[in-house]
Amino acid sequence: MILMKVIQALIGLANLASFVFFVIILIKLFKAEGALKGILGIICSIYTFIWGWMNHKRLKLTKWMWAWTGAIILALVLVGVSFVVVGSMGLSMIDEYAKTGKTPSIGGFKPPAQRPARKRVAKKRIKPKAAAETPSAEKPGATIDFALEMRKVNNLIKLSEKNADAFFNRGWLHEFKGDMQAAENDYSKAIALDKRHVDALYNRGLIYAKQNKYDQAIQDFSKFLKIELRAVDALCNRGSAYFKSGKSDLAIQDFDAALKINPNDGDIYYNRAVVHLSKGDKEKATADFQKAAKMGQNEARKYLGMTPAKKTQKARHASSGGGWRMDLSSVEIPSTTATGKIHGESFTIDAAKIQSGILTLRQGKDFFPDRSLKIFLFLKKDEDPQGKSFDINKDKGFGSPHIHMSWKVEGKDVPETKIYMKDYAMRLNFGKRQKGGLPGKIYLSLPDDFKSYVAGSFLAETK
């Protein structure tokens, strides 16, 4: 907060200095060129700036022009720095709001709403000889305090009706409760404010499909795919919408494209088989049904007269779980460097830091880590984490520390992030501060499909 105020003050001084130099050069312009060009200089300050540099030697304005140029550059640099500071402070501000219910300000800006995880609905399976049902919204495994979350997001919208994320959040809540029209309206408001809001585009596309508005669903999925080029789920949903709207060839094109990205998806083979069957191409349909059946796709197995496959974790979600466990009552945290798995990939801590009550464990040396965990501890102002312990079981509910799990996705510059406020298990102990930092031990298990976890010791840099 203090840093932002200092930066804002410096920006104000730089702008003031720039204005003073503008007035000085403008007076010279009036004297040298007359009233007509002087008035032009008032209307268009750029003209005054260019005129000053063009005549600086003749009229001995060099020092003034360098000073004016320096003031402009300084203001631009400080504005850039302010955006970086706002970005780095954003998450802590969001979580401060989630904890206290009050909205902090950052240099006049309000923090964006904390987004729920985008609902990536299981790809629609098109049943042979029957109309496919668009899947319903995938509800979280645990209930949420709907009234509380709705009150929070409504407060954000009252503070700023230009907050696209706030409208997205409210749309998500409406969809969770089954009010599809209200959800559609809020997603549309989010998109009107931010045309590249991929989460709102994707979710609105699903709602259009549910309402049999297939042309509109296709438009939303198409816009989404212009931003996320290799999104298999969007390709499959658009392909299904094409099929339901009678555009079988376009549906096959989407399923073909999805299989190039993920050739081991039985659902896609099944969908493509149904489209081939609708076109009377039994040979291609049978080949796709057989491929889907081999991958354990039960609708395909039923169609071929085979017994259903046993329910197993799909390969793309497979994870042995390793040290993952939800009951930490008897667990002993290893003394070795903390390791585990994040989103199905190995995770070893390269660096640990605790700042403003946020513990960050990260792997990777780039600006954006390959994988990371941010744990928002909600400490009081100036509260020291030294010697503190956190013991969270999966039933503890809201009020627990928030966990932000991030991982890099191929083809994307910015990591994906999933947020957990409850339903996880964690034991976190901090020791006494040492010269090298603050030692700690952690055992954390998250309720995602990959059974992400981390267990072991770390030494956190403190700031």
Side-chain angles (χ1 to χ4, degrees):
M1 294 291 192
I2 295 174
L3 179 58
M4 278 303 304
K5 289 180 179 178
V6 171
I7 293 173
Q8 285 183 314
L10 291 174
I11 292 173
L13 289 173
N15 286 332
L16 178 60
S18 180
F19 178 74
V20 170
F21 297 135
F22 164 70
V23 171
I24 292 171
I25 302 302
L26 183 64
I27 292 171
K28 297 288 185 180
L29 174 60
F30 267 99
K31 290 181 178 180
E33 304 289 347
L36 186 62
K37 289 189 177 180
I39 293 171
L40 178 61
I42 294 174
I43 297 171
C44 182
S45 59
I46 294 175
Y47 174 79
T48 306
F49 184 82
I50 295 172
W51 179 88
W53 272 117
M54 290 178 65
N55 298 278
H56 71 97
K57 289 183 178 178
R58 179 171 64 87
L59 300 175
K60 298 180 180 180
L61 301 175
T62 305
K63 291 182 180 180
W64 291 114
M65 289 307 301
W66 275 118
W68 188 7
T69 303
I72 293 172
I73 293 172
L74 178 60
L76 291 173
V77 170
L78 288 170
V79 169
V81 171
S82 71
F83 278 113
V84 173
V85 172
V86 168
S88 65
M89 294 173 65
L91 284 174
S92 61
M93 293 297 102
I94 292 169
D95 281 84
E96 180 184 338
Y97 167 70
K99 179 184 176 185
T100 64
K102 298 178 181 178
T103 305
S105 60
I106 308 173
F109 295 97
K110 302 297 180 185
Q114 184 176 353
R115 291 188 187 183
R118 182 197 306 162
K119 295 171 290 177
R120 287 303 181 90
V121 177
K123 290 173 287 296
K124 179 171 60 178
R125 296 176 180 175
I126 309 169
K127 297 181 180 180
K129 302 179 182 179
E133 294 182 1
T134 307
S136 60
E138 189 177 45
K139 294 185 179 182
T143 59
I144 64 173
D145 189 335
F146 178 82
L148 174 63
E149 297 303 320
M150 184 61 79
R151 188 162 59 249
K152 286 181 179 179
V153 77
N154 280 333
N155 287 337
L156 280 177
I157 291 172
K158 287 179 182 177
L159 288 168
S160 174
E161 293 188 353
K162 295 184 178 181
N163 189 333
D165 286 337
F167 282 108
F168 170 80
N169 277 13
R170 193 170 70 177
W172 188 91
L173 288 167
H174 282 310
E175 189 173 357
F176 177 83
K177 292 293 285 186
D179 190 342
M180 295 299 133
Q181 188 57 56
E184 178 189 329
N185 293 342
D186 276 341
Y187 290 147
S188 296
K189 289 176 183 176
I191 294 164
L193 291 167
D194 179 2
K195 296 186 185 304
R196 293 177 62 85
H197 201 300
V198 290
D199 294 334
L201 282 168
Y202 186 91
N203 284 11
R204 190 176 70 173
L206 290 172
I207 287 178
Y208 283 146
K210 178 183 281 293
Q211 298 172 337
N212 299 329
K213 300 176 182 177
Y214 297 115
D215 289 340
Q216 290 166 280
I218 289 165
Q219 288 178 13
D220 274 355
F221 290 131
S222 297
K223 291 175 183 176
F224 178 95
L225 285 162
K226 286 181 180 179
I227 302 169
E228 296 196 9
L229 305 178
R230 294 173 58 83
V232 172
D233 47 3
L235 282 167
C236 288
N237 282 322
R238 189 176 70 175
S240 296
Y242 274 137
F243 177 67
K244 290 299 295 292
S245 60
K247 301 170 184 175
S248 297
D249 290 338
L250 291 174
I252 289 176
Q253 287 180 21
D254 272 353
F255 294 140
D256 288 346
L259 285 169
K260 286 181 181 179
I261 299 169
N262 186 359
N264 299 312
D265 193 316
D267 290 344
I268 306 175
Y269 281 111
Y270 176 82
N271 281 11
R272 192 172 69 175
V274 174
V275 181
H276 283 313
L277 192 65
S278 73
K279 296 181 68 177
D281 195 335
K282 293 185 179 180
E283 185 177 349
K284 288 184 179 179
T286 300
D288 276 349
F289 278 133
Q290 289 173 342
K291 290 176 182 177
K294 286 180 181 179
M295 295 175 183
Q297 213 284 341
N298 278 328
E299 294 294 328
R301 294 178 71 88
K302 289 178 185 177
Y303 185 80
L304 295 172
M306 302 167 65
T307 56
K310 294 180 179 179
K311 290 184 178 180
T312 57
Q313 188 84 353
K314 291 186 178 180
R316 61 179 175 271
H317 293 306
S319 172
S320 62
W324 185 91
R325 62 182 71 182
M326 280 295 172
D327 182 6
L328 303 184
S329 57
S330 60
V331 77
E332 291 187 10
I333 305 177
S335 298
T336 53
T337 300
T339 59
K341 283 184 177 293
I342 285 184
H343 207 255
E345 299 291 337
S346 297
F347 175 56
T348 302
I349 295 176
D350 290 332
K353 180 177 71 174
I354 185 164
Q355 182 178 11
S356 302
I358 305 170
L359 173 64
T360 302
L361 308 174
R362 58 174 286 159
Q363 177 180 357
K365 304 297 184 183
D366 294 339
F367 179 79
F368 289 116
D370 297 332
R371 285 166 282 283
S372 72
L373 292 166
K374 284 182 179 286
I375 303 173
F376 292 73
L377 302 173
F378 299 132
L379 300 176
K380 296 178 182 177
K381 186 178 181 181
D382 299 326
E383 185 177 0
D384 191 346
Q386 179 178 234
K388 291 192 176 297
S389 296
F390 299 83
D391 208 344
I392 311 296
N393 62 58
K394 66 183 183 64
D395 300 319
K396 187 161 185 179
F398 290 101
S400 303
H402 290 185
I403 313 295
H404 290 217
M405 178 178 74
S406 299
W407 64 95
K408 279 186 177 178
V409 177
E410 185 179 355
K412 289 188 178 181
D413 297 327
V414 180
E416 293 275 351
T417 298
K418 195 165 185 179
I419 301 169
Y420 298 92
M421 303 181 192
K422 56 181 292 188
D423 296 328
Y424 64 86
M426 181 179 74
R427 180 166 295 166
L428 174 61
N429 301 323
F430 290 104
K432 292 184 178 180
R433 187 173 277 100
Q434 301 175 0
K435 188 175 182 180
L438 183 64
K441 288 187 173 184
I442 187 171
Y443 207 117
L444 170 67
S445 295
L446 297 172
D448 62 323
D449 290 335
F450 296 90
K451 294 188 175 180
S452 299
Y453 76 97
V454 62
S457 303
F458 59 87
L459 183 63
E461 175 188 356
T462 56
K463 289 189 177 181

